[in-house]
Amino acid sequence: KQEVTQIPAALSVPEGENLVLNCSFTDSAIYNLQWFRQDPGKGLTSLLLIQSSQREQTSGRLNASLDKSSGRSTLYIAASQPGDSATYLCAVRPGSGGSNYKLTFGKGTLLTVNP
Amino acid sequence: NAGVTQTPKFRVLKTGQSMTLLCAQDMNHEYMYWYRQDPGMGLRLIHYSVGEGTTAKGEVPDGYNVSRLKKQNFLLGLESAAPSQTSVYFCASTRHQTGGRTEAFFGQGTRLTVV
């Protein structure tokens, strides 16, 4: 059974700092990995999707990397801003059989960026 | 673009009452999902559908039923609500694409309280 772990559970940084959020998964046979952002009381917004054949994806100040063999992904946020404060979730989609449409989520990292 | 829309956004039920949560997507996606999100538990899959007229159980299906009579709609029903079903419910949809590009889109959530 795929398990997804996100460390740390919470992170507080001063504005302007570069930071890294971690995601690890137990089964390396994944189809893709997706990073989401969730603001309090809101839904999930997709940030980046990394296909199993890719090593990284970039969008603005965000860069996500994927190392399937070690079961790890990182989300790098450059020059953090107070508006980046949110919970960040990673989710993996399995790569085998008929179940590759089901996502398994980590429990998220609560990020607070202080002005 | 509306994307994934959930109705209602908030609801309070008494134990034993029934209700239906509606999810509608306008992206012509084949796959739709219902998740619940609870503190400390993360997002857990309740039921999912891979196409019109088909549904399947996820991780935590007990106490819920679903229907997918139209491709764009996915309904989640609670026949006899229990306090343990107090949660935030999220609907999601995906279009299956080759090459690992399948991306999930989420609704804004329904906050349900059962008293």
Side-chain angles (χ1 to χ4, degrees):
Chain A
K1 177 184 174 185
Q2 178 74 271
E3 293 183 359
V4 180
T5 304
Q6 291 187 246
I7 295 173
L11 181 64
S12 181
V13 301
E15 181 177 3
E17 190 163 300
N18 301 326
L19 60 99
V20 173
L21 306 180
N22 297 294
C23 172
S24 62
F25 45 95
T26 54
D27 186 347
S28 62
I30 66 169
Y31 190 70
N32 62 33
L33 184 146
Q34 201 167 348
W35 281 95
F36 294 88
R37 169 187 173 135
Q38 185 177 27
D39 293 293
K42 302 295 185 182
L44 281 69
T45 300
S46 180
L47 296 173
L48 289 165
L49 173 76
I50 308 179
Q51 299 169 41
S52 60
S53 58
Q54 296 177 322
R55 297 282 293 180
E56 65 179 307
Q57 279 287 334
T58 298
S59 176
R61 294 182 294 108
L62 305 180
N63 176 277
S65 68
L66 175 64
D67 184 342
K68 276 181 52 179
S69 61
S70 66
R72 294 181 181 181
S73 176
T74 61
L75 180 66
Y76 174 83
I77 302 177
S80 59
Q81 304 170 358
D84 295 330
S85 297
T87 296
Y88 291 81
L89 296 155
C90 74
V92 298
R93 189 179 303 276
S96 59
S99 64
N100 65 357
Y101 33 77
K102 291 192 289 185
L103 286 169
T104 300
F105 282 85
K107 294 181 180 179
T109 294
L110 175 61
L111 173 66
T112 303
V113 181
N114 302 301
Chain B
N1 292 336
V4 179
T5 303
Q6 292 183 231
T7 309
K9 290 184 172 49
F10 303 93
R11 185 73 184 268
V12 178
L13 285 180
K14 294 183 179 179
T15 298
Q17 286 185 319
S18 63
M19 78 164 293
T20 300
L21 282 67
L22 171 64
C23 176
Q25 52 93 5
D26 61 0
M27 297 174 282
N28 201 33
H29 286 174
E30 295 89 356
Y31 305 144
M32 297 186 74
Y33 317 78
W34 278 106
Y35 288 88
R36 60 178 288 173
Q37 186 177 39
D38 303 288
M41 302 295 291
L43 278 144
R44 294 179 292 169
L45 182 65
I46 305 171
H47 285 281
Y48 63 98
S49 168
V50 300
E52 182 178 322
T54 69
T55 63
K57 295 180 180 179
E59 299 175 66
V60 288
D62 294 342
Y64 305 95
N65 57 75
V66 288
S67 65
R68 183 106 181 261
L69 299 180
K70 294 182 178 181
K71 186 178 184 179
Q72 64 268 33
N73 295 336
F74 195 28
L75 279 64
L76 178 71
L78 287 73
E79 290 187 347
S80 180
S84 61
Q85 294 177 304
T86 293
S87 186
V88 182
Y89 293 85
F90 287 102
C91 176
S93 71
T94 64
R95 176 191 299 120
H96 182 67
Q97 294 181 281
T98 58
R101 289 188 293 274
T102 301
E103 185 174 5
F105 296 89
F106 279 76
Q108 289 301 297
T110 295
R111 187 173 298 274
L112 175 66
T113 302
V114 183
V115 298

